[in-house]
Amino acid sequence: MDSCLMLWHMKPQSRAYRFVGHKDAVTCVNFSPSGHLLASGSRDKTVRIWVPNVKGESTVFRAHTATVRSVHFCSDGQSLVTASDDKTVKVWSTHRQKFLFSLSQHINWVRCAKFSPDGRLIVSASDDKTVKLWDKTSRECVHSYCEHGSFVTYVDFHPSGTCIAAASMDNTVKVWDVRTHRLLQHYQLHSAAVNALSFHPSGNYLVTASSDSTLKILDLMEGRLLYTLHGHQGPATTVAFSRTGEYFASGGSDEQPEVDFPIPPGRGRSQESVQSQPQEPISMPQTLTSTLEHIVGQLDVLTQTVSILEQRLTLTEDKLKQCLENQQLIMQRTTP
């Protein structure tokens, strides 16, 4: 919101770089595959390409007529795809630094656009409740996925390029096959809008970030929830696995970036990387510390209990649905 980019170094005590150039809130960032370039989109309607060093020099791309919501480099680093509130998806040449073409079939804001791993397809997610699949060469819309009941906030390709996952304000995550266009998986696990998701590089796991303030790790092979992570104090707005899959990072409206250790043997830990300088420790009375620890312990128990109740409720709903279906079948058979 402060119109700046912060480039954080993962080594302790390293200084963060602050890049200034955008004239309004920065909505999205993406590193090129080589790491030599960094793209950003903003509410000021521009896209900027930065050289991520101490100088923080950038080139401005202008063609969108409204807020830019998404920026994503192609796997070869030659192209960039952007999505905007002007209802278009635009493709740019990064080295020639020029606008190439627009994809314009969405009828509402476009929140996200991504290249497929091989760079031949583009997928986009929109407030028109659709996910659209595009052929980059022909610039045609190959298919529209219309199963979501509300705005589609985020979409991405599986590392294999054979399927896509989309997150929506209808609290669900859906996975489709891009060859048959069949809905493969449907997850309704969050209690509020799902804002972002990220595939693990292995393709076996998916992490989601939601306005219910939680992150969830899904096992795609088993089609089930693995972990629910409680760290953010407000809506979790973004999440991404590292290239190796060793870490994932999440951001939220609580203004606190976190780096998490995925699929841990015990509980999820996080390193909060807000301060670059060590601070003096603040002393706290022992009684207050123990009281707070007790409250946290009780909250953990409550969270686990609610989670178990949710699972039981889902099982009960499934059994009830099965009973009703069986009853209908019996009625149909007995009816002359």
Side-chain angles (χ1 to χ4, degrees):
M1 289 301 190
D2 62 8
S3 77
C4 297
L5 274 77
M6 295 294 288
L7 182 60
W8 302 89
H9 292 269
M10 299 302 287
K11 290 171 188 168
Q13 311 304 320
S14 295
R15 273 190 65 189
Y17 295 151
R18 188 167 180 265
F19 294 164
V20 181
H22 282 296
K23 304 289 188 287
D24 206 336
V26 181
T27 53
C28 48
V29 287
N30 184 235
F31 272 107
S32 64
S34 66
H36 297 317
L37 294 173
L38 179 63
S40 62
S42 167
R43 207 186 276 167
D44 66 10
K45 308 173 191 175
T46 70
V47 174
R48 280 181 181 260
I49 304 285
W50 309 77
V51 178
N53 59 23
V54 71
K55 288 182 184 175
E57 294 166 340
S58 66
T59 306
V60 188
F61 288 7
R62 290 186 176 91
H64 283 294
T65 57
T67 297
V68 181
R69 295 276 172 195
S70 168
V71 289
H72 184 241
F73 280 99
C74 193
S75 55
D76 62 5
Q78 301 287 315
S79 306
L80 184 77
V81 65
T82 59
S84 166
D85 287 1
D86 64 11
K87 306 175 191 173
T88 71
V89 172
K90 294 188 189 298
V91 178
W92 316 71
S93 167
T94 48
H95 294 285
R96 286 187 287 158
Q97 297 184 359
K98 61 177 274 192
F99 166 69
L100 296 176
F101 59 87
S102 271
L103 304 170
S104 317
Q105 283 190 30
H106 282 293
I107 55 170
N108 207 334
W109 296 356
V110 190
R111 289 181 180 257
C112 183
K114 296 285 181 86
F115 280 111
S116 59
D118 63 9
R120 290 191 296 178
L121 297 170
I122 292 167
V123 70
S124 57
S126 167
D127 280 9
D128 64 12
K129 305 181 188 176
T130 72
V131 170
K132 290 188 187 293
L133 190 67
W134 311 82
D135 184 295
K136 188 193 167 191
T137 310
S138 69
R139 305 178 191 179
E140 295 291 320
C141 179
V142 178
H143 192 78
S144 288
Y145 303 89
C146 308
E147 284 95 331
H148 277 295
S150 187
F151 302 163
V152 190
T153 53
Y154 199 89
V155 68
D156 203 1
F157 277 94
H158 185 272
S160 68
T162 58
C163 57
I164 51 170
S168 170
M169 284 196 180
D170 64 9
N171 308 358
T172 72
V173 170
K174 295 183 194 295
V175 181
W176 291 278
D177 189 309
V178 296
R179 299 159 299 184
T180 63
H181 309 307
R182 199 166 59 88
L183 180 66
L184 299 175
Q185 292 180 333
H186 166 91
Y187 296 95
Q188 191 151 12
L189 300 166
H190 286 288
S191 58
V194 188
N195 300 313
L197 51 81
S198 178
F199 281 102
H200 189 266
S202 68
N204 296 337
Y205 306 100
L206 185 74
V207 64
T208 59
S210 168
S211 292
D212 64 12
S213 81
T214 70
L215 305 174
K216 290 184 188 283
I217 298 174
L218 313 176
D219 184 329
L220 297 173
M221 307 304 282
E222 298 278 333
R224 67 184 180 93
L225 174 66
L226 269 186
Y227 297 102
T228 298
L229 302 175
H230 302 263
H232 288 286
Q233 304 302 309
T237 53
T238 185
V239 68
F241 272 109
S242 61
R243 295 261 160 97
T244 60
E246 188 184 355
Y247 300 103
F248 61 90
S250 60
S253 298
D254 54 6
E255 302 170 10
Q256 204 149 284
E258 296 199 350
V259 180
D260 296 286
F261 299 76
I263 309 116
R267 296 188 46 166
R269 296 169 290 158
S270 72
Q271 304 169 169
E272 289 173 6
S273 53
V274 178
Q275 297 291 339
S276 51
Q277 295 295 322
Q279 286 191 314
E280 286 294 311
I282 300 161
S283 59
M284 200 180 277
Q286 187 60 44
T287 51
L288 183 57
T289 307
S290 58
T291 306
L292 286 170
E293 281 173 358
H294 177 71
I295 290 165
V296 169
Q298 291 296 312
L299 284 170
D300 273 352
V301 172
L302 279 170
T303 305
Q304 287 165 20
T305 308
V306 169
S307 180
I308 291 162
L309 286 170
E310 279 178 351
Q311 287 169 20
R312 285 180 181 172
L313 187 62
T314 307
L315 283 169
T316 308
E317 283 173 348
D318 289 347
K319 282 177 182 174
L320 185 62
K321 190 181 173 186
Q322 204 174 349
C323 286
L324 287 167
E325 283 170 357
N326 289 339
Q327 196 176 353
Q328 280 179 330
L329 282 169
I330 292 161
M331 291 287 283
Q332 282 167 5
R333 284 171 189 162
T334 54
T335 305

